Amino acid sequence: MGKVTGFLEFDRQEQKYQLAGDRVRHFREFTLPVDNGDLRKQAARCMDCGIPFCHGPTGCPVHNQIPDWNELVWQDDWEEAARNLHSTNNFPEFTGRICPAPCEEACTLNLENQPVTIKNIEQAIADKAWEMGWTRPEPAKTRTGKTVAVIGSGPAGLAAGQQLARVGHEVHVFEREPKLGGLLRYGIPDFKMEKHHIDRRIRQMEAEGVVFHCGVNVGVTKSFASLHNEFDAVLFAGGAEDPRDPKLPGQNLAGVHFAMPYLTQSNRRIGSEPIVEEPILAERKHVVVIGGGDTASDCIGTAFRQGALSVTQLDIRPRPPEREDKLAFWPYWPTKLRTSSSQAEGAEREFQAATLGIEGRRGRCIGIRCIRVDERRQPLAGEEFVLPADLVFIAIGFAGPVREGLLEESGVICDRRGNVIANENDYRTSADKVFAAGDMRRGQSLVVWAIREGRQAARSIDEYLMGSSILPR
Ligand SMILES: Cc1cc2nc3c(=O)[nH]c(=O)nc-3n(C[C@H](O)[C@H](O)[C@H](O)COP(=O)(O)OP(=O)(O)OC[C@H]3O[C@@H](n4cnc5c(N)ncnc54)[C@H](O)[C@@H]3O)c2cc1C
Ligand code: SF4
């Protein structure tokens, strides 16, 4: 464990940010560095519980061995902490930055609202491992002669590709976009995670033998049948990109966009990629974001950085309580009022607000018509209101994977929601030698779940190819 009396001696120290007024002037990460000594004290707060819920089924999806590396950090053995952390998580510098940290909700100290700052410690270990040169390519000592095609380079495809290359398979990753990383690259903005973290991992994977093919849309510009013939196994890791469509009256007015085209364009602009479409910019605009999740928050933060005059967020759900009833929820993820760093930059939040339609003049959106709803989302008579809006972003989630192209051509069986059917034991789809992982299998989820699925699918593919596997699940 950490220090026996650590949790009594040291208070939880939250991650500190640049002030909102400063951070909205740029797109870079804005967390302030934490001193090593302070981090060690935070790690010392870990109680090494008999049943560490933080890495059990209700906590970390990749089962990071959190109490073990807290102890190692407290002992100042960062190199061993990094080795331990990488044994369960291929990309801890990603999750250390953008994971919502279900582990902290499950921490026993959260019963007192003072969980160990697990996510910050994870990020610090991963960053130090890069800084010190401990994170290096780990190429396989022997090659198996087997080939695997991975379709999609999001966290699921990357984690699977890395695991498979490390046990000696020849891995080829096919990506539709010009750059690699999936939603890490084109969805999540730089202010949450700068893209050089992805580039560095790609270089590591290339040194481990992974071959990347960008600009290849399997099922469109390259047939699935040709891949299926060429490779011994194929992994579908194409994400769940089909946006949920509210089909609002006025949705086709200029100035109304789904969130992803906006975020992708902004990420391309920051990444110095050419923008061929009409620019979507929030400068000097009143912006309304429909939706209450991560994607909505990323639209808010991006709009503020582009100079929006105001940003209002519409959430159909009731305002959650400030604090949950611990005994009813712990160690599970509770519904409670959470304020993202982007919301804290000055967004107005409207709860129990349903959108009735977009109002326009001369083909452009000028406002959004809403109605207050009750807790069962039923409209309240006489409670209509209109908000001025020059730009509206629809961020109400994703319906599932895109059907056209890969899924249509391959004919793999999907469930009612359009997700590829494959179980969590072997990740095999209905098609011979075809596996599926990440959002394409489980529906829109989290980076840490994509990493877990990529790792587990890699083990299953290895077993399929070799009869057994030394890869962890
Ligand atoms: C805006 C936004 C913000 C988010 N923020 C967070 C966050 O802060 N924390 C968090 O944990 N999660 C977050 N998420 C969720 C998280 O990003 C996803 O759950 C995760 O990226 C899924 O990983 P994946 O590898 O399954 O798919 P993706 O990341 O979607 O990657 C799929 C890749 O496959 C490629 N592809 C698809 N079809 C083909 C094809 N036919 N041929 C070739 N390539 C193809 C796509 O171009 C894409 O690059 C966010 C999601 C969004 C949309
Ligand atoms: S990956 Fe997420 S859940 Fe797991 S230890 Fe890191 S922050 Fe916690």
Side-chain angles (χ1 to χ4, degrees):
M1 65 185 297
K3 192 166 189 269
V4 180
T5 52
F7 70 101
L8 296 172
E9 286 176 46
F10 311 120
D11 289 336
R12 173 180 160 98
Q13 206 182 75
E14 299 275 350
Q15 174 84 59
K16 294 202 172 57
Y17 298 152
Q18 283 174 13
L19 294 175
D22 294 333
R23 66 186 192 239
V24 294
R25 293 168 196 269
H26 62 80
F27 274 83
R28 296 184 305 280
E29 289 175 14
F30 52 76
T31 50
L32 300 177
V34 187
D35 172 76
N36 257 5
D38 288 341
L39 271 166
R40 287 185 53 219
K41 286 183 189 160
Q42 292 301 301
R45 297 184 63 244
C46 178
M47 302 190 294
D48 195 14
C49 308
I51 299 172
F53 289 94
C54 57
H55 82 177
T58 58
C60 176
V62 290
H63 304 304
N64 277 342
Q65 300 174 121
I66 297 160
D68 295 28
W69 41 257
N70 277 332
E71 162 71 13
L72 289 160
V73 167
W74 169 239
Q75 297 299 338
D76 217 10
D77 189 351
W78 292 81
E79 188 168 1
E80 186 53 24
R83 199 205 52 73
N84 186 308
L85 178 54
H86 281 95
S87 73
T88 55
N89 187 350
N90 295 66
F91 313 122
E93 70 278 25
F94 301 171
T95 44
R97 286 176 166 77
I98 54 179
C99 189
C103 54
E104 293 189 20
E105 295 294 349
C107 175
T108 309
L109 286 172
N110 188 33
L111 284 166
E112 293 288 327
N113 285 310
Q114 291 272 307
V116 174
T117 52
I118 299 169
K119 177 174 148 170
N120 288 1
I121 297 167
E122 178 179 36
Q123 180 188 335
I125 298 170
D127 287 353
K128 196 180 251 313
W130 278 107
E131 190 188 307
M132 301 300 289
W134 301 327
T135 304
R136 285 186 290 266
E138 297 172 30
K141 294 204 173 56
T142 52
R143 315 291 304 174
T144 62
K146 305 282 186 190
T147 58
V148 185
V150 175
I151 303 172
S153 68
L158 292 180
Q162 182 160 67
Q163 294 294 91
L164 288 163
R166 285 180 175 177
V167 287
H169 303 306
E170 183 182 323
V171 178
H172 290 251
V173 177
F174 295 88
E175 171 54 56
R176 184 191 61 217
E177 298 298 325
K179 290 191 180 180
L180 301 158
L183 288 174
L184 295 168
R185 169 90 53 187
Y186 291 114
I188 295 169
D190 276 55
F191 54 81
K192 273 167 58 182
M193 190 181 95
E194 291 175 9
K195 307 307 172 210
H196 58 87
H197 300 295
I198 310 171
D199 299 334
R200 195 165 56 175
R201 281 293 177 185
I202 300 298
R203 288 196 294 276
Q204 181 195 35
M205 288 177 66
E206 282 173 337
E208 290 166 346
V210 179
V211 184
F212 292 100
H213 307 265
C214 286
V216 182
N217 192 349
V218 182
V220 179
T221 60
K222 180 176 177 66
S223 74
F224 162 74
S226 64
L227 272 194
H228 197 251
N229 279 336
E230 277 170 50
F231 289 87
D232 297 318
V234 181
L235 175 67
F236 284 11
E241 304 176 295
D242 193 15
R244 208 170 274 147
D245 187 347
K247 297 192 169 45
L248 295 170
Q251 200 174 303
N252 55 359
L253 288 164
V256 183
H257 305 272
F258 282 106
M260 274 311 290
Y262 175 57
L263 293 173
T264 302
Q265 193 183 93
S266 173
N267 276 314
R268 284 196 206 286
R269 194 175 287 116
I270 303 303
S272 306
E273 284 186 52
I275 312 282
V276 286
E277 321 81 43
E278 176 89 1
I280 315 171
L281 289 164
E283 189 181 2
R284 304 195 58 73
K285 301 233 166 82
H286 293 287
V287 176
V288 174
V289 181
I290 307 173
D294 274 339
T295 309
S297 266
D298 291 348
C299 290
I300 295 170
T302 301
F304 278 131
R305 281 159 183 75
Q306 291 179 344
L309 292 177
S310 69
V311 183
T312 307
Q313 181 179 22
L314 303 179
D315 197 330
I316 199 162
R317 298 167 300 184
R319 186 186 178 87
E322 300 276 335
R323 285 206 171 161
E324 75 279 25
D325 174 356
K326 293 286 180 200
L327 295 181
F329 285 100
W330 182 89
Y332 294 94
W333 181 260
T335 301
K336 66 178 172 189
L337 186 71
R338 296 172 196 271
T339 302
S340 70
S341 57
S342 294
Q343 288 165 330
E345 285 159 7
E348 290 293 331
R349 297 170 76 178
E350 295 279 354
F351 291 96
Q352 292 180 261
T355 310
L356 296 174
I358 317 285
E359 303 198 329
R361 191 182 304 134
R362 291 197 283 275
R364 275 211 71 82
C365 122
I366 56 163
I368 183 160
R369 201 154 35 83
C370 313
I371 189 159
R372 207 64 73 187
V373 293
D374 65 18
E375 302 212 333
R376 288 172 299 116
R377 301 187 181 183
Q378 296 307 307
L380 296 170
E383 297 259 358
E384 278 194 33
F385 58 98
V386 176
L387 295 170
D390 310 305
L391 261 185
V392 173
F393 296 123
I394 300 167
I396 54 170
F398 295 82
V402 174
R403 183 81 208 141
E404 299 75 42
L406 179 65
L407 295 187
E408 218 160 53
E409 191 204 330
S410 64
V412 292
I413 299 177
C414 297
D415 63 17
R416 272 188 310 130
R417 306 177 70 180
N419 300 327
V420 176
I421 294 183
N423 68 43
E424 278 184 274
N425 289 323
D426 61 19
Y427 292 85
R428 290 179 80 151
T429 71
S430 57
D432 181 38
K433 68 178 186 182
V434 178
F435 299 73
D439 283 5
M440 196 166 225
R441 193 198 73 81
R442 68 182 297 120
Q444 244 286 305
S445 183
L446 295 174
V447 169
V448 65
W449 277 102
I451 295 173
R452 166 188 161 132
E453 295 218 348
R455 289 171 65 84
Q456 294 192 340
R459 182 188 156 102
S460 176
I461 292 171
D462 190 32
E463 270 173 343
Y464 164 75
L465 294 173
M466 308 302 292
S468 64
S469 178
I470 54 159
L471 287 173
R473 264 184 65 80

